[in-house]
Every structure is written in structure tokens, then in C-alpha cells.
Amino acid sequence: MWLNPEEVALKNALKLWVTERSNDFFLLQRRRGRGEPAGKISGLLVGALDTVLDSNARVTPFRILLQIPGSQISWIIASGATMEEVNKHWDWLAHNLLHSLSVFENKADGASFVRGKVKGLIAEESRGRQAAQEDDPERFREALLKFERHFRLPSSEKLVTFYSCCTWKGRVPRQGLLYLSINHLAFYSFLLGKEVKFVIPWAEVIRLERVSGGFMTEGIRVSTRQRQRDFSMFLNLDEAFGVVGQLADIALRRLLDSEGLELDRVLQQPARITKRVLEEQALREYVLALFRLPRSERLHEVASCAVWTPHARCHTAGTLYTTDNYLGFSSREEGQCILLIPLTEVVSVEKAESTCTLPNPVIVSVRSKKAFQLIELQARDDLVESLDRRLRSLHLKQSAFRTSRRAKRTSSCHNPYYTFYYDTACSDEEEMEEQVLRNTVNSEALMTAFHHNTPGSNNNKHTEVLKEKMWEEHFAEFGRGVHMFRTDKLQRLIALGIPESLRGELWMTLSDTTSDLDSDPGYYAALVQTSMGQSSLTTDEIERDLHRSLPDHPAFQNPAGISALRRVLTAYAHRNPKIGYCQSMNILASVLLLYAKEEEAFWLLVAVCERMLPDYFNRRVIGAQVDQSVFEQLISERLPDLADHFPDLSTLSSVSLSWFLTIFVSVLPFQSAVCVVDWFFFHGIKAIFQLALAVLEANAASLCARVDDGHALMVLASFLEHVGSDQSSPGEFSQPPANGSNMMDAPAVGQANITQLITDAYERFGDLTVRKIERLRCRHRIQVLQAHEDTTKENALRVVTPDVSISAEHLADIYDLFKTEHFISLYWGDISAVAAAEAASWRRGVSYLERQYRLDLPQFKSLYGLLAPWPAGGCHADTLARHTFDLLDSDRQHLLSFRDFALWLDTLYCGELSDKVKLLYRLHLPPALTDSEERSSEMNIPSVSSDRPLRVGVASEKADGKEEAKDYQEQLKQMLRDLVVAKEKEKDVQQPLPLMKQHEFIQFCKTLCSLFHGDPEENELFQAIAKVTSLVLQIGEATTRPPGPNRDLSGPPDSEWTISLAQILASLLTEQTLVNFLERACDLTSRIASAKEKQYQQRAPLLALQHAQR
């Protein structure tokens, strides 16, 4: 196969290769030991080396090298497993390239020509492989060629798929093709001689909707901040809408907040995204959400099958999903029957033909001496082989822990506490006790120690006994542990409330945190030992919130409870610094500690934060906001009458945010809230959506009759605070009102029962499936991320606006151009340093606003050419752009912020003449003017003396030379006196700029001349700058020679020639033509409009060239 040319320093290193064929430019080599008679010692050694190497690092036995005659450098351009394969590549090179190489005089150019050809072949093969994965390869290959020809985007802009559709231009329909690539949506139509084409970056999409009506069949509406486009299609609408949503979601997550949001590794590499990958990713997201699996799990096999369900005494049809560490089964009707089996619990997976007459049976045996029977499995042999291979790998890993576990069990004592001791200089006995308590890990649930302090608990003993009996019967029928069948009966039991004695165990079972605990038994203890005693901003936040976590519960009025909570939160912040600590985590951890052992509570918190509520607890709480946006749509769909009475549903979603973040713990009485947590561990986020909808439906009449939004909030707060449970009693501990308001002013609400509320929620909204929630999340994440972008833009403009005179509208357009330039480099140019700088900003703790959108030098040069009011052509314009970048890069990070860029543009378009001259002056002083440029200027600039005034133009030659010189000298003396006075005044205002040397001034003059290129008054401006140059040179000479009539004009100056900004400015003011040019108003509106049109066309070819050269 063809390989991307890779340099090889030594063609025959270690004599590992034997040359079979060669010519002036190419070598065909064979790996020593391949194709040789057996017994040669060299072949045996090389063969042994290749065998020992990892399979990923093994070398193919044949290769082709590109060489430059007379050079020791070569490039590998092809390889093969057989001689026949590599000979085909050799023959192609000989017939197609060898003759062309003979005409190159410079052999290095010939080598570059070959490398370019090979890269082209690789690109063509890549297209072919991508097309081969499609249902219709020839049609896809044809669409790919059209996409490249019509839109001329860089080759790295990978086409994912395309659809035939119709869009509307006014009232005229345009039939064409909708192209979906990794970064853009593009449409092309050519009908009746009229061409319509446009490109929409995914980064500009703010909303996706399905619409219908009018002349158009059902279609897709894509909205940006500027306009909206409707695309109608008769076929594949569901598929197209899903792919559009996925691509927009992936692009926005990758571009806007790649560090803050979880993104699969495959999706972080856009070149690997295909339609098939998107389908697999959508299915994987669904499986992870359905079974609440770790985000790192990869989906391997999906197979239809039926599982024997003993409780139903029949086989239940459904789908089997296998991942890295789990077997998951879901019935055809989601939620009817779910089975999850960790592979760590599996003993064997066997085919059972000899003992069973059922079709394709498989027996899965687990450690608890139970077995699960699966039948009607397609591709059973491959599935069993794959599972068996993963089982063997897991068993090898588990065996490494067995010895350490036995040792730990042997050395463990019966004391329910184990303690880490730290060195301390404190001698006070009470402080020593407190220090030990802080680091003592409790191995029992807090409710075990503080249960007897809960008022009214004796009244519930009978109820608890009955519940425990019901659960024991359920375990006998459906199994116990993580691999028990999850059915409607289990759902009804959980709705009644889990007994306190089983709550911690069942939470661990339903979330499968037992596997995490068993796989790394000493992990939490090590985290506690490492994290406790450290001080940081995160630990300070944790300390502030410790006493706000269930403050009325006796467990957290005691140092033991507070210390346990501190350890769990601190250990988690140490485990996951990306999340660290977020408010509401303390409330969740408090509830978990009451019913689970401390180490179990830690793993439950891990499951909630990283699996069950993904992206909820990152820096900007994106996940919770996405679910609030989803909740608003569900209100509109499921409670339309209520939605009609609330023009702005954000009022309700702002209230429900705390419901989702704390799983209702902060708003319900404690015993009722714990029942919701039970329901949440069984159903996941679906349970919170269902319960939130049920709460709104129960209060719909009161909410519709509300006086104002405040009254609506009081209705909901009063309702939730009076939701009781079967375990509630008059004196029982309950949460205080969340808003601290006097509920005597709230409307009277009848008390509801939490069991009935949960049951009603499931009956009314049980058809809300995990699959639908995941699809809605994908669409609404786009809106939330774009809303954050709008906020970021507003904040950036608010910071910059007071310091500039550019209008708000123009400043917003400049921000968009600035952001687009950043995105363009991320689309096609990973050569940019921006991605690395952004990652470094995360590590340094730089705020999101501060690190948002910074440009490197190539990006700045692009915008400089688009927006600078001066001519952008020529090499001097490139030099001036580089000087400007170096000047603005004050912190030497090689990146410019939007503020720096806006202030620079403001000087050019809105600054006074003195501001523009000052900017040009600073561009020709260090650090903008580098040392190498200074040395180059000193070598190239001849010694310039201005003792004799320069005369420019015919009129000056006709004038009386002596009289003119005399007037000139008087004029210069007066000017110098004025400048001295002005300098004295400036000292009190600001620090003066450094003086400019002669060679720097010459560069300054060159820059001014380059600005006049193409101007209608170009000749007059050149004459004016010549006069100013002469005048400034004379001023410089006058300041370097001593005063007096006897001075020697022919000798060298007494000091180095220098000039100040004030002197240059005064000299420029003597020429009205220059003044008019520098004060001329520039049309920023037309510049911005032109930049928007040219930005893609200007950057795309350049980035494509840079990409090809890598």
C-alpha cells in the first residue's frame, strides 16, 4: 500500500534490509530473513526480532524507498506483505514517474514531485475506501467529486454523506443536493441555467427543527443568527435529520468547549467521521444512557436474541448489547425487561447444542451459581468467541488483585473504622482528636449510627419489616445483585420505597458501582490519604458548604458526619479535577452517606456525576442546562395548555433546575426525597423528567391562574414541601423551605403522597424513553452552547466597547470575523498553536472568557489583509503585519486576544492622526522590529547625511538656494524650541517612547511609501514623503552636532543619530497631502462586507497548501 512519505536517515540500518531492485530514484527492499533459505543466522535474528515486536509495531517485509542521488536521506513511500503486492507499486512508479523525473535538473525538486504524487494517490485511495463503505459506492464517489468541484474547500474537509432535497429561494423551489461534511452543510442546485449554492458552517447553526406546511412537505429547518433555510425531502427525512443534528452537535462540542464536554475519541478526530461512525455513535450513546454505563465503554456487538426469564416462564425477545466490560439485554419494549451482567461476574460463555434443542442457544454462567440462557442469536459463533477472548483478558487482570485482597482481608479488624495517621506538630489533645477524626474513614452508613435519633422512626418499624419481606421474596424470584432482572414488578416495589436496611445495597446494585468498588478496592483509601490536608480553592469551597448539607439532620450536626462528607467531596475533587467541586454535590453526597458506607458513597457519587448526570457538574453546568431546554420542549408537547399560559417557559425551567441538580432532595421533605433518589437510581434521568412533568401537571390549574411568575413559584414550592411519604410523621426531620419564604402567604395546597406521585408520573409519562431523551439532548445542546456563545460575545464586546470608538454593530461583525478565523484554522489547519494554547489555558486555570478565541500569526495575517485600510499586497505588507503582531503580543504568548485586535483596528479607523503616526512609529521599534531586521537594515542602508537640504520638484530648483536655506534653518530652530516645550509637558502625562535610530527611520519611510501604492494621489504623496524625510534627517543631524558657527560639517557626528515621535509628527504636519491621507476616513462597513465574502476563499487554499506540505 502507498504510505505517507516518511524520512529514513539510513537506508540500510543494521543490515536489516536487502535491496532487490533499484534505479536512480527508487529502491525495492526485502526484510532480511524473508524469502531466504532457512538456517542463515542473520535471517533468524531479524525474524526473532520481528516476532517479539508488538503486532502494531511489526514491519512489513517489503518496501519501496524514494532516494535523491548522492544523498543519504530516503523516504518510505510504499510497503507490502508480499512481493507481488509491492511489485505492482514498483511497476506503476516505473511507467508513470521515472521518465518525468529525468527532466528535473534539481533532483530535490523531483523528490518533492514524487512525494506529492504519492500523497495524491493516498487521498484517492482514502476516497475510494470511504466510498466503499457506503451503500452505493459509485454514487458516493460521484457526489464527492461534485462536492470538491463546486465548493473548492480543502481536501481535509471530509464529506460524510449527501441527500437529494429541495430548498426555496423566495417562492421558487430549487431541487439539488444537500452535502453534509464534518464542518459544514452545503447545498448546490443548477436548474434552468440558474445556479444556487451556499455553505453554512455548523458553528453558525443555532437551532434545528422539523417543519411542515405550505407548499413544502415535511422538512428540516436550519437556523443561523442571520437567516434560516428550509430543506424538504420525500425520502430519508428521519435519517437526514438525525445526521444533521449529530454533525452540528459534534462540531459545536469540538469547537466551542472540547475540554468541558465529554467527546468520544473517534469524534475528536474529524477525519475518521463517516456516516457509519455516526450511526454507531448514536447507538453507543443510547446504550450507555439505557444501562448507565461508564463513558469509556465501547460498544462491540449488537444482536437480536431472546432470554429465558424464570419469573415469566418464557423467553423474552429483545436485543443483546456487548461492551468492553458488560453484557446488556433490553426487551423490545424499552423498560419491560432489562438485564445487565458485568463480565467480571461471568464465569463462562458456552454454546449448548448438545443439551438443548432450542435455536442457537448460549449459556452465560455467573459467580453466584446462576446461568442465563440466550437463544436465536445471529452470528453466535463469532459472538461467543469475542466474549470468550474478553473474558480471558479480564480474568488475567482480576488474578493480579487476588493476592492483595486476601492479604487485606487477613489484616483487617472488626472495628468499623480504619484510620490514616499523619505527622502533626499539634500537641493539644482536642485538636489531635479532631485531626484523627478528619482522616478516619467510616466503614458503616451514617444512618446506622444516627437512626435512633430520628423522631418518629419507631412508628415505621412495622412498615419496614413488611417491605423487607416483599424484597426478600422478589430476590428469590428475580435474583439478587447487579444481574437481577429489572421488570415492572421491581419498578412497583421501588415506587413504594426501598427499606432503609437495603437502600445502600440496592443503590449500589442499580448503578453497578459494585463493579467499580471490587475492581479497585484500595482506590478510595489512597485518594483520601493523598487529598486530605491539601489546601486549594476547591477545598475552601467544600469547607464553606459542609454545614449547609442537610443541616437539620442529626448526622450532619456531628463531627463524624461532617468529616465523612469532607473526605468524600475532597477525594472526588482530587479524582476528577476537571469537575472538582460543584454546588449541589454536597447535598447528593450527604444523602448517599446516610445509607451507604463511606467508600460506597464515594463510588455512588462517581456514578451520578460521571455516568447518570453527564456534563452536569462541569464548569458551566452545560448538561443541566441542556436538560432544562429539553424539559421546556417536553412541557410544550405533553402539557400544551400549561405551555399556552406561559409565553416564556424559562420561568418554569429556572425553578426546575434545582430539581435536576439535586434530584429533588433540596425541595422535598427528606423521606419523600429519598424515595425520588430510589426512583432515580432505577430509571436514571428519565425518572426526573417524568416526576417534574407530573409535578407541573398536578399544579396546572393553579399555575394557569397565577397572578405573576412569583406566585407560580410559590405554588410549586408549597406543593413540593407538602409531599409526604408512607414513612413521614408529624415530628420527623424535613428540609426547610428552599427560598426561606413564609409559607403562610402561599396558597393552600392539599398534601400529596410521594408514592402516588411517582406512580402517576410513570403512568402518565412512561412512554418517555431514553432514546427520545438522547435525541432531544443532541438537538438542544446546540441551542445551549450557542446561547453560551452569545453570552461570551456580549461579555467580550462589553469589555472592549468603552475603549474603542468603533460602532457596536461594526464591533460585533469584527468579533464574528475574528471567531471565524479561529474556526477556519481548527477546521483545516492543525498546524495552528491555538489548540495547544487552549489546553494550556485549562491547565493554568484561565477563565473561559479569557482563553476564548486567540489568533496566532498566520491567522492574524489573514485578517490583516482583509481589514487593514492600507494596501495588503507585496512583501512589505506581510512584514508590516508581522511587526503589528509582535507589537500587539505584549505578553509574548504568540497569540492575540480580541481586545488587542479591536484596539488596533480602532486606531486605524477611528484614531486621530497622531494615534496613527504613533502606531507606525512603534511598529519600527523593538520588539516589533526584531534584532535580525535591525542588523539587515544597518547593512543595506548607506550612510545618509542631510547637511545639504534635499530639493524635490522643479519649483524648488528654480528658487534661490541661499535664501531658502536661511529660512529653513530659522524654521528648524523654532520647531525644535517648540518640541522641547512639548516634551516637557509630555513628561508629566506619560512615559515618552524610545528615540528612533536612523536605520529604523528608513524602515519607517519605506512603510509609509508602501501605504501609498495604488492611491490616486500616489505621486504627490511620494513627493511629500521625500520632503518630510529630508526635513527629519536634517532635524536628526541638527540634534547630533554641537551648536556654534565653527562646527565641522564634514566630520562624524558627536552622538548617534536619533529622532523622536514628536519630531516626526511635526515634520509630517508640514505636508498637507500626507495629513489628508492619514486623516482620510476609511469605510469600515465595506471592508467588513468584503471580508465576510473573501475570508473562506482566501484562507482555504492557503491552509490546503500548508496541509499538503506537512
Side-chain angles (χ1 to χ4, degrees):
M1 63 179 176
W2 297 110
L3 301 176
N4 198 35
E6 182 179 350
E7 192 174 288
V8 180
L10 296 175
K11 294 182 288 185
N12 209 16
L14 301 178
K15 302 296 182 180
L16 298 178
W17 294 90
V18 178
T19 300
E20 296 285 337
R21 303 174 68 177
S22 66
N23 54 44
D24 291 342
F25 289 92
F26 303 108
L27 295 175
L28 191 156
Q29 294 185 332
R30 170 179 53 81
R31 187 77 166 173
R32 191 175 294 277
R34 300 299 182 99
E36 293 181 348
K40 285 191 176 183
I41 186 64
S42 60
L44 292 175
L45 288 174
V46 175
L49 176 65
D50 290 343
T51 303
V52 171
L53 287 175
D54 180 72
S55 60
N56 294 326
R58 288 179 186 169
V59 180
T60 53
F62 301 96
R63 70 180 185 180
I64 298 177
L65 300 182
L66 166 67
Q67 64 175 353
I68 299 176
S71 172
Q72 292 297 315
I73 302 298
S74 299
W75 292 267
I76 301 176
I77 59 174
S79 67
T82 63
M83 179 62 83
E84 291 76 11
E85 180 185 355
V86 80
N87 270 330
K88 291 180 181 179
H89 293 326
W90 179 271
D91 294 339
W92 189 92
L93 292 170
H95 287 95
N96 295 280
L97 297 184
L98 199 57
H99 177 71
S100 301
L101 289 174
S102 62
V103 302
F104 283 92
E105 295 182 1
N106 188 337
K107 301 305 180 183
D109 292 341
S112 298
F113 169 73
V114 174
R115 294 199 301 271
K117 281 289 186 181
V118 171
K119 289 181 178 180
L121 290 171
I122 294 172
E124 187 63 32
E125 282 186 354
S126 178
R127 286 196 207 86
R129 285 194 298 269
Q130 183 183 356
Q133 297 176 2
E134 302 296 325
D135 297 333
D136 190 345
E138 290 301 323
R139 189 161 177 257
F140 183 86
R141 188 177 289 107
E142 180 184 353
L144 181 59
L145 293 174
K146 289 181 179 179
F147 174 72
E148 294 173 349
R149 183 173 67 251
H150 294 325
F151 301 102
R152 300 188 180 280
L153 296 175
S155 59
S156 56
E157 182 63 23
K158 182 178 180 180
L159 179 66
V160 176
T161 188
F162 66 97
Y163 297 96
S164 175
C165 71
C166 175
T167 190
W168 296 77
K169 188 173 182 180
R171 296 186 176 181
V172 180
R174 295 288 183 179
Q175 183 67 33
L177 286 179
L178 179 68
Y179 299 93
L180 305 179
S181 69
I182 54 177
N183 296 306
H184 300 84
L185 176 151
F187 177 81
Y188 182 86
S189 171
F190 187 82
L191 188 64
L192 301 177
K194 299 290 185 181
E195 183 183 61
V196 175
K197 69 175 180 179
F198 52 83
V199 175
I200 303 175
W202 295 123
E204 294 183 6
V205 175
I206 61 172
R207 183 183 293 271
L208 293 174
E209 302 170 278
R210 290 183 64 162
V211 294
S212 61
F215 298 102
M216 185 177 60
T217 60
E218 192 173 10
I220 302 170
R221 174 169 293 169
V222 179
S223 301
T224 65
R225 292 180 178 85
Q226 290 76 33
R227 61 175 303 171
Q228 61 187 29
R229 301 272 190 178
D230 292 335
F231 304 95
S232 60
M233 53 187 72
F234 293 98
L235 301 174
N236 303 317
L237 179 63
D238 293 335
E239 177 188 301
F241 187 63
V243 173
V244 167
Q246 277 187 279
L247 287 172
D249 176 49
I250 292 167
L252 288 173
R253 293 165 73 185
R254 177 169 52 87
L255 296 172
L256 301 186
D257 199 4
S258 60
E259 290 291 331
L261 290 169
E262 296 293 338
L263 197 61
D264 189 78
R265 290 181 181 178
V266 175
L267 303 182
Q268 291 175 348
Q269 304 173 26
R272 297 178 61 184
I273 296 177
T274 63
K275 182 181 175 183
R276 182 171 298 177
V277 167
L278 292 178
E279 293 171 352
E280 293 173 353
Q281 180 65 18
L283 181 58
R284 174 181 172 273
E285 292 286 342
Y286 166 70
V287 172
L288 295 184
L290 178 63
F291 298 103
R292 276 100 63 195
L293 301 181
R295 310 298 296 176
S296 58
E297 288 292 307
R298 295 173 300 170
L299 183 64
H300 290 283
E301 292 93 11
V302 179
S304 298
C305 70
V307 172
W308 174 254
T309 48
H311 56 276
R313 302 191 179 279
C314 66
H315 285 90
T316 301
T319 306
L320 177 71
Y321 306 95
T322 71
T323 68
D324 292 334
N325 298 290
Y326 293 91
L327 288 176
F329 172 82
S330 177
S331 57
R332 288 177 181 172
E333 183 180 347
E334 184 182 295
Q336 181 183 5
C337 179
I338 290 179
L339 176 65
L340 182 65
I341 308 175
L343 289 183
T344 53
E345 295 293 316
V346 176
V347 175
S348 64
V349 178
E350 301 172 317
K351 294 180 283 187
E353 294 96 341
S354 59
T355 60
C356 184
T357 58
L358 296 170
N360 294 336
V362 170
I363 302 298
V364 179
S365 303
V366 296
R367 297 185 187 280
S368 59
K369 298 182 180 181
K370 290 183 60 177
F372 299 90
Q373 184 188 73
L374 291 78
I375 63 171
E376 299 178 353
L377 273 167
Q378 301 296 325
R380 180 188 61 166
D381 294 344
D382 294 338
L383 177 63
V384 171
E385 182 181 351
S386 174
L387 287 173
D388 189 58
R389 186 170 56 252
R390 292 206 295 277
L391 272 177
R392 287 198 301 269
S393 176
L394 280 173
H395 290 164
L396 286 174
K397 292 179 182 178
Q398 285 180 326
S399 64
F401 292 102
R402 289 175 184 170
T403 305
S404 60
R405 287 184 183 180
R406 291 194 191 101
K408 185 175 180 181
R409 289 195 189 105
T410 304
S411 61
S412 62
C413 62
H414 297 289
N415 188 351
Y417 298 94
Y418 53 99
T419 307
F420 300 106
Y421 293 98
Y422 297 86
D423 293 335
T424 175
C426 179
S427 59
D428 184 85
E429 194 172 321
E430 291 184 1
E431 291 187 9
M432 191 71 167
E433 253 181 62
E434 183 182 352
Q435 182 70 17
V436 171
L437 184 60
R438 278 173 173 252
N439 302 306
T440 301
V441 177
N442 190 355
S443 60
E444 295 293 338
L446 292 179
M447 192 61 78
T448 304
F450 296 97
H451 180 75
H452 65 278
N453 292 329
T454 304
S457 59
N458 293 328
N459 300 331
N460 300 320
K461 287 184 177 180
H462 181 64
T463 304
E464 288 290 299
V465 171
L466 290 177
K467 287 183 178 180
E468 289 173 3
K469 184 178 180 181
M470 293 170 61
W471 276 95
E472 291 298 333
E473 293 174 354
H474 184 273
F475 290 149
E477 183 178 2
F478 292 85
R480 188 166 190 166
V482 67
H483 41 66
M484 70 177 173
F485 289 96
R486 306 179 190 189
T487 62
D488 290 340
K489 185 174 181 180
L490 178 62
Q491 185 171 267
R492 290 192 294 272
L493 278 177
I494 292 176
L496 293 173
I498 299 175
E500 289 188 359
S501 59
L502 297 174
R503 182 162 276 141
E505 175 192 341
L506 284 169
W507 286 357
M508 294 285 289
T509 295
L510 296 173
S511 61
D512 187 38
T513 47
T514 307
S515 299
D516 297 326
L517 180 61
D518 292 341
S519 63
D520 204 346
Y523 180 75
Y524 176 68
L527 274 182
V528 171
Q529 189 169 13
T530 304
S531 61
M532 291 305 295
Q534 297 184 2
S535 180
S536 65
L537 181 61
T538 300
T539 57
D540 292 343
E541 292 177 356
I542 291 172
E543 289 296 328
R544 283 198 300 268
D545 287 346
L546 285 177
H547 295 278
R548 303 174 186 172
S549 311
L550 305 183
D552 291 346
H553 196 285
F556 299 102
Q557 296 171 353
N558 187 287
I562 294 296
S563 296
L565 181 59
R566 177 188 292 111
R567 288 190 296 271
V568 169
L569 294 176
T570 306
Y572 183 80
H574 192 76
R575 163 192 164 87
N576 192 344
K578 185 186 294 186
I579 292 178
Y581 170 75
C582 180
Q583 284 189 346
S584 76
M585 287 173 63
N586 60 318
I587 297 176
L588 295 178
S590 301
V591 177
L592 300 176
L593 280 167
L594 288 173
Y595 296 100
K597 300 175 184 178
E598 186 174 323
E599 188 172 8
E600 294 174 347
F602 168 79
W603 285 112
L604 286 169
L605 184 65
V606 170
V608 171
C609 295
E610 299 177 10
R611 287 154 47 185
M612 305 183 75
L613 297 178
D615 301 327
Y616 260 58
F617 302 99
N618 57 24
R619 298 177 185 232
R620 298 189 289 168
V621 203
I622 295 291
Q625 294 184 51
V626 170
D627 281 351
Q628 296 316 295
S629 184
V630 171
F631 186 50
E632 290 180 18
Q633 179 169 339
L634 292 176
I635 294 173
S636 300
E637 294 176 357
R638 302 304 182 97
L639 305 173
D641 294 338
L642 178 62
D644 291 342
H645 284 80
F646 280 84
D648 185 7
L649 289 175
S650 62
T651 302
L652 296 177
S653 62
S654 63
V655 178
S656 64
L657 179 61
S658 63
W659 304 353
F660 284 74
L661 280 172
T662 65
I663 318 177
F664 280 92
V665 172
S666 63
V667 293
L668 285 174
F670 179 73
Q671 291 297 340
S672 300
V674 172
C675 292
V676 175
V677 177
D678 297 340
W679 190 246
F680 168 75
F681 275 113
F682 179 68
H683 270 308
I685 192 62
K686 180 172 69 172
I688 307 302
F689 278 112
Q690 293 172 350
L691 188 60
L693 289 170
V695 169
L696 293 183
E697 184 180 48
N699 293 274
S702 300
L703 292 174
C704 292
R706 76 193 190 287
V707 178
D708 52 30
D709 290 344
H711 183 264
L713 303 185
M714 292 177 64
V715 168
L716 292 174
S718 177
F719 175 82
L720 290 171
E721 288 174 9
H722 289 82
V723 173
S725 70
D726 296 336
Q727 298 177 351
S728 301
S729 61
E732 191 171 356
F733 151 75
S734 63
Q735 285 288 95
N739 55 7
S741 59
N742 184 1
M743 297 314 299
M744 294 298 292
D745 300 330
V749 180
Q751 181 172 345
N753 181 273
I754 188 62
T755 301
Q756 188 59 45
L757 189 62
I758 289 175
T759 303
D760 291 345
Y762 180 73
E763 291 177 353
R764 287 281 294 112
F765 308 106
D767 59 334
L768 179 61
T769 62
V770 172
R771 191 182 298 275
K772 179 168 184 178
I773 290 174
E774 287 302 307
R775 288 175 176 171
L776 290 175
R777 278 176 165 177
C778 182
R779 286 169 48 194
H780 286 271
R781 192 181 293 111
I782 297 170
Q783 300 176 32
V784 170
L785 288 175
Q786 292 289 21
H788 275 272
E789 280 303 292
D790 292 339
T791 303
T792 301
K793 179 179 178 179
E794 291 172 4
N795 293 336
L797 297 180
R798 188 181 300 113
V799 171
V800 175
T801 299
D803 299 328
V804 299
S805 301
I806 299 175
S807 67
E809 181 181 356
H810 285 160
L811 197 60
D813 289 336
I814 293 169
Y815 181 90
D816 292 337
L817 289 169
F818 190 87
K819 182 174 74 171
T820 301
E821 190 64 36
H822 172 87
F823 284 165
I824 287 175
S825 290
L826 293 181
Y827 293 157
W828 306 312
D830 53 7
I831 56 173
S832 174
V834 175
E838 185 167 322
S841 297
W842 273 100
R843 290 191 295 269
R844 295 195 307 268
V846 177
S847 69
Y848 182 76
L849 179 59
E850 291 174 345
R851 69 180 175 84
Q852 184 77 332
Y853 308 139
R854 295 182 175 233
L855 302 188
D856 59 9
L857 179 57
Q859 296 165 340
F860 175 77
K861 285 182 177 179
S862 174
L863 281 184
Y864 181 94
L866 291 170
L867 293 175
W870 301 319
C875 61
H876 197 80
D878 185 77
T879 302
L880 189 59
R882 180 161 42 81
H883 287 184
T884 305
F885 182 86
D886 291 337
L887 177 64
L888 299 179
D889 182 23
S890 56
D891 56 1
R892 297 294 169 262
Q893 295 292 325
H894 306 293
L895 294 171
L896 294 188
S897 67
F898 174 69
R899 175 182 173 81
D900 299 330
F901 186 78
L903 292 174
W904 169 71
L905 272 185
D906 183 67
T907 301
L908 297 185
Y909 282 93
C910 303
E912 301 290 337
L913 180 142
S914 58
D915 297 326
K916 297 177 183 178
V917 174
K918 182 179 179 180
L919 174 62
L920 290 171
Y921 182 88
R922 295 179 63 198
L923 290 177
H924 296 84
L925 296 174
L929 189 70
T930 61
D931 294 338
S932 59
E933 289 175 315
E934 287 187 21
R935 289 193 295 269
S936 175
S937 300
E938 290 171 356
M939 293 175 61
N940 296 331
I941 297 174
S943 178
V944 180
S945 176
S946 57
D947 295 322
R948 182 172 59 85
L950 294 175
R951 295 183 174 85
V952 182
V954 179
S956 63
E957 292 177 357
K958 294 180 180 179
D960 184 10
K962 293 182 180 180
E963 187 67 27
E964 182 184 354
K966 181 179 179 181
D967 294 341
Y968 230 39
Q969 295 296 334
E970 292 296 329
Q971 195 175 22
L972 287 174
K973 290 178 182 178
Q974 182 61 39
M975 188 180 297
L976 288 172
R977 286 193 291 269
D978 295 340
L979 289 175
V980 170
V981 175
K983 279 185 178 181
E984 294 297 326
K985 293 180 179 179
E986 286 181 0
K987 286 182 181 179
D988 300 332
V989 179
Q990 61 180 2
Q991 187 73 20
L993 291 170
L995 297 177
M996 181 178 282
K997 300 176 183 178
Q998 190 179 72
H999 65 273
E1000 295 169 346
F1001 173 69
I1002 298 300
Q1003 290 293 326
F1004 175 86
C1005 294
K1006 287 183 177 180
T1007 298
L1008 283 178
C1009 292
S1010 69
L1011 302 183
F1012 308 148
H1013 181 71
D1015 193 272
E1017 299 179 354
E1018 185 174 356
N1019 292 332
E1020 292 82 354
L1021 288 168
F1022 279 135
Q1023 291 183 12
I1025 195 60
K1027 292 180 182 179
V1028 169
T1029 303
S1030 173
L1031 179 58
V1032 172
L1033 288 172
Q1034 290 183 59
I1035 294 174
E1037 291 293 339
T1039 57
T1040 58
R1041 299 191 185 280
N1046 297 325
R1047 62 186 179 131
D1048 184 8
L1049 298 179
S1050 62
D1054 294 343
S1055 60
E1056 186 179 11
W1057 189 100
T1058 56
I1059 199 74
S1060 69
L1061 170 63
Q1063 292 168 327
I1064 292 178
L1065 181 59
S1067 303
L1068 289 172
L1069 291 173
T1070 62
E1071 292 295 330
Q1072 190 61 39
T1073 307
L1074 286 175
V1075 172
N1076 293 340
F1077 175 82
L1078 293 173
E1079 289 186 338
R1080 184 186 303 166
C1082 301
D1083 187 4
L1084 183 57
T1085 303
S1086 61
R1087 272 285 181 178
I1088 291 175
S1090 175
K1092 289 180 178 179
E1093 294 179 2
K1094 296 179 180 178
Q1095 192 170 27
Y1096 265 63
Q1097 288 78 2
Q1098 175 175 304
R1099 286 287 279 163
L1102 177 62
L1103 287 170
L1105 179 62
Q1106 293 172 340
H1107 184 78
Q1109 290 175 347
R1110 289 202 302 274

